[in-house]
Short mmCIF file of all heavy atoms in Angstrom, two decimals:
data_model
loop_
_atom_site.label_atom_id
_atom_site.label_comp_id
_atom_site.label_asym_id
_atom_site.label_seq_id
_atom_site.Cartn_x
_atom_site.Cartn_y
_atom_site.Cartn_z
N HIS B 325 -103.09 325.72 -148.13
CA HIS B 325 -102.76 324.44 -148.77
C HIS B 325 -103.31 324.47 -150.19
O HIS B 325 -104.52 324.48 -150.40
CB HIS B 325 -103.38 323.26 -148.00
CG HIS B 325 -103.13 321.92 -148.64
ND1 HIS B 325 -101.93 321.24 -148.47
CD2 HIS B 325 -103.87 321.16 -149.47
CE1 HIS B 325 -101.98 320.11 -149.15
NE2 HIS B 325 -103.15 320.02 -149.77
N LEU B 326 -102.39 324.56 -151.14
CA LEU B 326 -102.77 324.48 -152.55
C LEU B 326 -102.00 323.30 -153.13
O LEU B 326 -100.79 323.24 -153.01
CB LEU B 326 -102.36 325.75 -153.30
CG LEU B 326 -103.17 327.01 -153.03
CD1 LEU B 326 -102.50 328.20 -153.71
CD2 LEU B 326 -104.59 326.86 -153.54
N GLU B 327 -102.71 322.40 -153.75
CA GLU B 327 -102.04 321.20 -154.24
C GLU B 327 -102.45 320.93 -155.68
O GLU B 327 -103.64 320.98 -156.01
CB GLU B 327 -102.39 319.99 -153.37
CG GLU B 327 -101.75 318.69 -153.83
CD GLU B 327 -102.07 317.51 -152.93
OE1 GLU B 327 -102.42 317.74 -151.77
OE2 GLU B 327 -101.97 316.37 -153.40
N THR B 328 -101.46 320.65 -156.51
CA THR B 328 -101.71 320.20 -157.87
C THR B 328 -101.05 318.83 -158.00
O THR B 328 -99.87 318.68 -157.67
CB THR B 328 -101.08 321.16 -158.90
OG1 THR B 328 -101.57 322.47 -158.65
CG2 THR B 328 -101.47 320.74 -160.31
N ALA B 329 -101.82 317.85 -158.45
CA ALA B 329 -101.28 316.49 -158.56
C ALA B 329 -101.56 315.93 -159.94
O ALA B 329 -102.60 316.22 -160.54
CB ALA B 329 -101.92 315.59 -157.50
N VAL B 330 -100.61 315.17 -160.44
CA VAL B 330 -100.82 314.42 -161.69
C VAL B 330 -100.46 312.97 -161.43
O VAL B 330 -99.56 312.67 -160.63
CB VAL B 330 -99.97 314.97 -162.86
CG1 VAL B 330 -100.48 316.35 -163.27
CG2 VAL B 330 -98.51 315.01 -162.52
N GLY B 331 -101.16 312.06 -162.10
CA GLY B 331 -100.92 310.65 -161.84
C GLY B 331 -101.09 309.80 -163.07
O GLY B 331 -101.76 310.19 -164.03
N LEU B 332 -100.49 308.62 -163.01
CA LEU B 332 -100.60 307.63 -164.07
C LEU B 332 -100.86 306.29 -163.41
O LEU B 332 -100.13 305.89 -162.49
CB LEU B 332 -99.31 307.59 -164.88
CG LEU B 332 -99.35 306.84 -166.21
CD1 LEU B 332 -100.31 307.52 -167.17
CD2 LEU B 332 -97.95 306.78 -166.82
N ASN B 333 -101.90 305.61 -163.87
CA ASN B 333 -102.29 304.34 -163.26
C ASN B 333 -102.25 303.23 -164.28
O ASN B 333 -102.68 303.42 -165.43
CB ASN B 333 -103.70 304.44 -162.68
CG ASN B 333 -103.84 305.57 -161.70
OD1 ASN B 333 -102.91 305.87 -160.95
ND2 ASN B 333 -104.99 306.21 -161.70
N TYR B 334 -101.79 302.06 -163.84
CA TYR B 334 -101.81 300.89 -164.71
C TYR B 334 -102.71 299.85 -164.05
O TYR B 334 -102.40 299.33 -162.98
CB TYR B 334 -100.41 300.32 -164.91
CG TYR B 334 -100.36 299.22 -165.93
CD1 TYR B 334 -100.49 299.50 -167.29
CD2 TYR B 334 -100.22 297.89 -165.55
CE1 TYR B 334 -100.47 298.49 -168.23
CE2 TYR B 334 -100.21 296.86 -166.48
CZ TYR B 334 -100.32 297.17 -167.82
OH TYR B 334 -100.31 296.17 -168.76
N TRP B 335 -103.86 299.55 -164.69
CA TRP B 335 -104.85 298.63 -164.13
C TRP B 335 -104.58 297.22 -164.67
O TRP B 335 -105.00 296.88 -165.77
CB TRP B 335 -106.26 299.09 -164.51
CG TRP B 335 -106.64 300.39 -163.89
CD1 TRP B 335 -106.34 301.64 -164.35
CD2 TRP B 335 -107.37 300.58 -162.68
NE1 TRP B 335 -106.84 302.60 -163.51
CE2 TRP B 335 -107.48 301.97 -162.46
CE3 TRP B 335 -107.95 299.72 -161.74
CZ2 TRP B 335 -108.13 302.53 -161.36
CZ3 TRP B 335 -108.59 300.25 -160.65
CH2 TRP B 335 -108.68 301.65 -160.46
N LEU B 336 -103.88 296.43 -163.88
CA LEU B 336 -103.67 295.04 -164.28
C LEU B 336 -105.01 294.32 -164.34
O LEU B 336 -105.23 293.41 -165.12
CB LEU B 336 -102.75 294.32 -163.28
CG LEU B 336 -101.28 294.72 -163.38
CD1 LEU B 336 -100.94 295.74 -162.33
CD2 LEU B 336 -100.37 293.51 -163.23
N HIS B 337 -105.91 294.74 -163.48
CA HIS B 337 -107.27 294.19 -163.39
C HIS B 337 -108.07 295.31 -162.75
O HIS B 337 -107.50 296.18 -162.10
CB HIS B 337 -107.25 292.93 -162.52
CG HIS B 337 -108.58 292.24 -162.42
ND1 HIS B 337 -109.50 292.55 -161.44
CD2 HIS B 337 -109.15 291.28 -163.18
CE1 HIS B 337 -110.57 291.80 -161.61
NE2 HIS B 337 -110.39 291.02 -162.66
N ARG B 338 -109.39 295.30 -162.91
CA ARG B 338 -110.15 296.39 -162.29
C ARG B 338 -110.04 296.35 -160.77
O ARG B 338 -110.37 297.32 -160.09
CB ARG B 338 -111.62 296.36 -162.71
CG ARG B 338 -112.48 295.30 -162.06
CD ARG B 338 -113.93 295.59 -162.38
NE ARG B 338 -114.17 295.49 -163.81
CZ ARG B 338 -114.43 294.36 -164.46
NH1 ARG B 338 -114.49 293.21 -163.80
NH2 ARG B 338 -114.64 294.35 -165.75
N ASN B 339 -109.57 295.22 -160.21
CA ASN B 339 -109.42 295.12 -158.75
C ASN B 339 -107.96 295.22 -158.31
O ASN B 339 -107.67 294.99 -157.14
CB ASN B 339 -109.98 293.77 -158.27
CG ASN B 339 -111.48 293.69 -158.44
OD1 ASN B 339 -111.96 293.01 -159.33
ND2 ASN B 339 -112.20 294.40 -157.62
N PHE B 340 -107.05 295.56 -159.23
CA PHE B 340 -105.65 295.63 -158.85
C PHE B 340 -104.97 296.66 -159.73
O PHE B 340 -104.93 296.53 -160.94
CB PHE B 340 -105.00 294.24 -159.01
CG PHE B 340 -103.57 294.18 -158.56
CD1 PHE B 340 -103.14 294.88 -157.45
CD2 PHE B 340 -102.66 293.39 -159.23
CE1 PHE B 340 -101.83 294.82 -157.02
CE2 PHE B 340 -101.33 293.32 -158.81
CZ PHE B 340 -100.92 294.02 -157.71
N VAL B 341 -104.43 297.71 -159.11
CA VAL B 341 -103.88 298.82 -159.88
C VAL B 341 -102.55 299.26 -159.29
O VAL B 341 -102.33 299.19 -158.08
CB VAL B 341 -104.89 300.00 -159.90
CG1 VAL B 341 -105.22 300.47 -158.49
CG2 VAL B 341 -104.38 301.16 -160.73
N VAL B 342 -101.65 299.70 -160.17
CA VAL B 342 -100.39 300.31 -159.75
C VAL B 342 -100.51 301.80 -160.06
O VAL B 342 -100.89 302.17 -161.18
CB VAL B 342 -99.19 299.71 -160.52
CG1 VAL B 342 -97.91 300.41 -160.11
CG2 VAL B 342 -99.09 298.21 -160.25
N LYS B 343 -100.20 302.64 -159.08
CA LYS B 343 -100.38 304.08 -159.24
C LYS B 343 -99.07 304.83 -159.00
O LYS B 343 -98.34 304.51 -158.06
CB LYS B 343 -101.43 304.60 -158.26
CG LYS B 343 -102.82 304.03 -158.49
CD LYS B 343 -103.81 304.61 -157.48
CE LYS B 343 -105.20 304.06 -157.74
NZ LYS B 343 -106.17 304.53 -156.72
N VAL B 344 -98.81 305.81 -159.84
CA VAL B 344 -97.67 306.70 -159.66
C VAL B 344 -98.22 308.13 -159.71
O VAL B 344 -99.05 308.43 -160.58
CB VAL B 344 -96.63 306.52 -160.80
CG1 VAL B 344 -95.51 307.51 -160.65
CG2 VAL B 344 -96.10 305.10 -160.80
N SER B 345 -97.77 308.98 -158.80
CA SER B 345 -98.26 310.35 -158.83
C SER B 345 -97.22 311.32 -158.31
O SER B 345 -96.33 310.95 -157.53
CB SER B 345 -99.56 310.49 -158.03
OG SER B 345 -99.36 310.12 -156.68
N LEU B 346 -97.34 312.56 -158.79
CA LEU B 346 -96.51 313.68 -158.31
C LEU B 346 -97.44 314.74 -157.76
O LEU B 346 -98.44 315.08 -158.39
CB LEU B 346 -95.71 314.27 -159.47
CG LEU B 346 -94.53 313.45 -159.98
CD1 LEU B 346 -94.01 314.06 -161.28
CD2 LEU B 346 -93.42 313.42 -158.94
N HIS B 347 -97.09 315.25 -156.58
CA HIS B 347 -97.92 316.25 -155.92
C HIS B 347 -97.08 317.49 -155.66
O HIS B 347 -96.02 317.39 -155.02
CB HIS B 347 -98.45 315.72 -154.59
CG HIS B 347 -99.21 314.43 -154.71
ND1 HIS B 347 -100.57 314.36 -154.53
CD2 HIS B 347 -98.81 313.17 -155.01
CE1 HIS B 347 -100.97 313.11 -154.71
NE2 HIS B 347 -99.91 312.38 -155.01
#
Side-chain angles (χ1 to χ4, degrees):
Chain B
H325 178 81
L326 287 172
E327 180 178 338
T328 306
V330 291
L332 193 64
N333 304 325
Y334 187 74
W335 294 84
L336 286 98
H337 183 271
R338 76 169 64 85
N339 293 106
F340 184 37
V341 58
V342 177
K343 296 181 179 176
V344 176
S345 59
L346 286 170
H347 304 251

